[in-house]
Structure formats: C-alpha cells, structure tokens
Amino acid sequence: MQDRSVDERFMRIALLEANKAFDEGEIPVGAVIALGDTMVVGAHNTKERHGDPTAHAEINAIRAASLKLSKEEFTQCTLYVTLEPCVMCVGAALQARLKRVVFGTTDPRAGACWSLYRIPEDKRLPWRCRVEGGVLAVECKKILNDFFGLLRSGWRGGRAVEGGRLEID
C-alpha cells in the first residue's frame, strides 16, 4: 500500500489543476499521473475550451503521459484525480494499464469506481487496477460545490481573481 502522505501530496497537485479548470470556467477536476514518487504530468478538464466531450482531466493526463512513458512504465503508475472517474475515464485507465487509481471525492451521479459501478475490479476484464478513494475528499468536494454554487446563482462568465476563484461579473 502506498504511503498516505505521498497520495496526499499528489492529490494536492491535482487540486491545483482543478483550480486551473475552475478559473477557466471548466468543471473543476484535476488529475496527476505519478510514477512512484515522481510526477509525470498534471492535467485538468478542458471540455468547454476545446469543445471536446472526451477532454476530461483523466483523459488529458493519460494522453500527455503517453508522450513521456513506455507501455511498461504505465503499469507502475498511479492516476490521482479529484473526482471519482466516470466510465470513460476508468476505461482509459484500464486500457493504459495503470497500477492504481486514487480519487478524492465520490461521484454519485457518474462514478465508475465505487459509486455506480466497480469497473476496475471486474474480473471479466483483462486488466484491473487498485482503487483508493477519499484522499482529501473534503477539499475535493468543496471546489466542486463552490463551482456549482456559482452556476446555480446564475453565473455564466467571470474572471479569475487572486486565490484561484472566479469573480462574478
């Protein structure tokens, strides 16, 4: 089992990526891929900016890491993500043959690791990975709640201000 302090260190970096997404008006989800104690890449959601429904933080991280890592190195990597991955992202993690997926907060509407499905542990699939959840869950949930609170209040635009938050115009 990985040292919890290492998991928290990488999840804090994923939260920094989520803040970038927040500032860009994207759903604030961040991801990091690490090989042992070394960060390989960080990424965040860019669906709106790129008009690409597949541009989730996890997919962006896997794509960026694939430019730096061999197939064999992927099997020793951990994906850290602030929100429990969806079906598409878990599928990509399995296709990349990642060793572990570590997430912050659960996603009761679309989570495919624990909430709705348990895809990474499905023995019918040719590859499985270990999953750990709840790392910095309070912080990971807060950024999502802040973002959706702004949307519910009628926010449709804004500008980044110090501290990584949006100011309502």
Side-chain angles (χ1 to χ4, degrees), residues 65-127:
S66 72
L67 301 174
K68 297 181 175 193
L69 298 172
S70 69
K71 285 176 20 178
E72 293 76 25
E73 288 172 312
F74 262 109
T75 66
Q76 297 305 309
C77 286
T78 299
L79 169 66
Y80 294 90
V81 60
T82 56
L83 180 65
E84 179 183 3
C86 69
V87 171
M88 174 182 69
C89 293
V90 168
L94 292 174
Q95 288 296 317
R97 299 196 171 174
L98 294 171
K99 182 177 184 177
R100 293 172 66 225
V101 172
V102 176
F103 66 86
T105 190
T106 57
D107 184 355
R109 297 183 68 196
C113 292
W114 286 1
S115 296
L116 293 179
Y117 306 102
R118 292 185 170 263
I119 294 172
E121 63 190 42
D122 191 323
K123 292 182 181 356
R124 296 171 294 180
L125 297 172
W127 186 262

Side-chain angles (χ1 to χ4, degrees), residues 11-12 20 28 33 48 57 60 69 77 88-89 93 97 120 123 125 131 141 144 152 155:
M11 191 61 73
R12 287 189 197 291
K20 290 178 188 177
I33 292 181
E48 301 303 320
N60 290 340
L69 298 172
C77 286
M88 174 182 69
C89 293
R97 299 196 171 174
K123 292 182 181 356
L125 297 172
V131 176
K141 188 171 187 168
L144 289 160
R152 282 189 295 277
W155 171 78

Side-chain angles (χ1 to χ4, degrees), residues 22-36:
F22 191 118
D23 289 345
E24 295 169 8
E26 299 276 355
I27 294 174
V29 177
V32 166
I33 292 181
L35 178 57

